[in-house]
Amino acid sequence: IEDEMILAAIQQIEERHLDCAGYRKVTDILNSDTSKIEEYNFNFDFPINIKRVRRIMHEHGIKADIRQPRRNRVKEQQQYLEDNLLHRQFNPNHPNKVWVTDTTELTYGRGNKVRLHVVLDLYGNYALSHYVSPTETAKDAIKVFELAKQRTGVLAPLIHTDRGSAYTSREFSNYLCQNQCVHSMSAPGTPADNAVIERWWCDFKHMWMAHHPAPQTLDQLLKLVSAGVTYFNNVEISGKRNNLTAVDYYNGEIA
């Protein structure tokens, strides 16, 4: 009965506002003193929640006829091109020139989820650091870079990421600026712009995780991840690295 009364009131409001009142404005009017407004013949003596108004409007197809902001997609695409400074040049000629990073989801036990962060040096695809966190935040993204910095002493001058919320945050941007790093970003929905680490994830999950018993505890997962990173750094060889492991290829140039 209350919903029917609210619906009738919503229809009055929309008629008076030429079908241009959104659910926020409608809720404000319903909860205001309407006794002074002659066009309305309702006056509720109970508060009406905005979610209730939105539900009733949705159920009856009542939608505000307002102008939607136009997006300049040409300008956005140009901005994405300008932001991608790496330009899919995945073969630097020296270590610590370009680092890439990303996160992926891992599970353990009965559906428990965590995020695995990895920083790769594009010179030989050497995993400089990894970090497991409950969620993907700017602090977690910074943490894995701090671990990489402990190994090398400095960050690479060019850091490439996707457009995840952790990487587009002000906190992460300030961190890179403080370390004199230039931030390159992939275009939205374009994993090929960060293809190296996407391939690394694929190999890590299908060559390593899938060939070991599923971890049942967080401790088991952490040990499995650590062993997997060690495998891809110290055991796996690649023709692109002259059949060397990632660590031998990386350290050979450092030496």
Side-chain angles (χ1 to χ4, degrees):
I1 294 175
E2 287 182 354
D3 281 1
E4 291 178 356
M5 294 169 56
I6 295 172
L7 173 61
I10 292 173
Q11 292 170 337
Q12 289 184 47
I13 295 170
E14 289 294 342
E15 182 178 359
R16 184 170 188 271
H17 289 272
L18 306 178
D19 295 321
C20 291
Y23 63 88
R24 291 185 176 87
K25 182 183 290 185
V26 170
T27 304
D28 291 339
I29 295 174
L30 290 174
N31 288 300
S32 64
D33 183 7
T34 60
S35 59
K36 299 178 182 179
I37 305 177
E38 296 180 357
E39 289 84 352
Y40 300 143
N41 58 8
F42 60 84
N43 196 352
F44 297 100
D45 58 357
F46 57 88
I48 300 174
N49 188 281
I50 190 172
K51 293 182 179 180
R52 190 177 192 181
V53 173
R54 184 169 55 187
R55 173 180 58 80
I56 294 173
M57 291 178 67
H58 178 73
E59 289 175 351
H60 293 84
I62 302 173
K63 185 178 180 181
D65 184 16
I66 59 176
R67 182 185 68 84
Q68 297 295 327
R70 294 184 178 180
R71 297 178 59 182
N72 189 334
R73 298 188 182 277
V74 174
K75 185 176 181 180
E76 289 179 354
Q77 185 62 31
Q78 181 61 33
Q79 184 62 47
Y80 298 148
L81 292 174
E82 292 175 358
D83 289 344
N84 186 1
L85 304 177
L86 184 58
H87 300 301
R88 304 189 185 182
Q89 300 299 310
F90 300 130
N91 297 297
N93 52 12
H94 293 289
N96 299 324
K97 290 187 66 176
V98 185
W99 293 355
V100 297
T101 189
D102 194 15
T103 72
T104 192
E105 184 178 270
L106 298 178
T107 61
Y108 67 93
R110 294 188 176 183
N112 300 302
K113 299 178 181 179
V114 293
R115 303 294 302 188
L116 171 60
H117 307 250
V118 167
V119 172
L120 287 184
D121 189 322
L122 283 186
Y123 188 81
N125 302 342
Y126 178 48
L128 292 166
S129 63
H130 69 279
Y131 179 65
V132 176
S133 64
T135 57
E136 181 182 352
T137 65
K139 287 184 173 59
D140 298 323
I142 291 172
K143 174 65 175 179
V144 73
F145 274 93
E146 283 294 289
L147 293 174
K149 186 178 179 180
Q150 291 176 13
R151 180 185 295 267
T152 63
V154 294
L155 299 188
L158 182 62
I159 305 295
H160 186 84
T161 72
D162 61 19
R163 291 180 178 270
S165 59
Y167 305 127
T168 56
S169 66
R170 184 182 299 275
E171 186 176 358
F172 186 76
S173 178
N174 290 340
Y175 172 75
L176 294 186
C177 288
Q178 291 167 5
N179 286 274
Q180 293 79 48
C181 300
V182 177
H183 192 186
S184 171
M185 289 187 286
S186 304
T190 313
D193 286 347
N194 207 5
V196 172
I197 199 164
E198 295 291 346
R199 174 61 186 270
W200 198 90
W201 287 140
C202 182
D203 290 344
F204 184 82
K205 289 184 174 182
H206 292 281
M207 294 175 57
W208 183 259
M209 300 296 292
H211 286 81
H212 289 82
Q216 298 303 308
T217 65
L218 178 59
D219 185 61
Q220 290 177 359
L221 177 66
L222 294 176
K223 291 179 179 178
L224 184 60
V225 166
S226 181
V229 172
T230 299
Y231 169 80
F232 282 101
N233 276 345
N234 297 278
V235 179
E236 186 205 28
I237 62 173
S238 171
K240 294 181 179 180
R241 297 189 294 255
N242 301 320
N243 290 326
L244 296 174
T245 64
V247 67
D248 288 340
Y249 190 80
Y250 177 89
N251 288 336
E253 179 64 24
I254 293 292

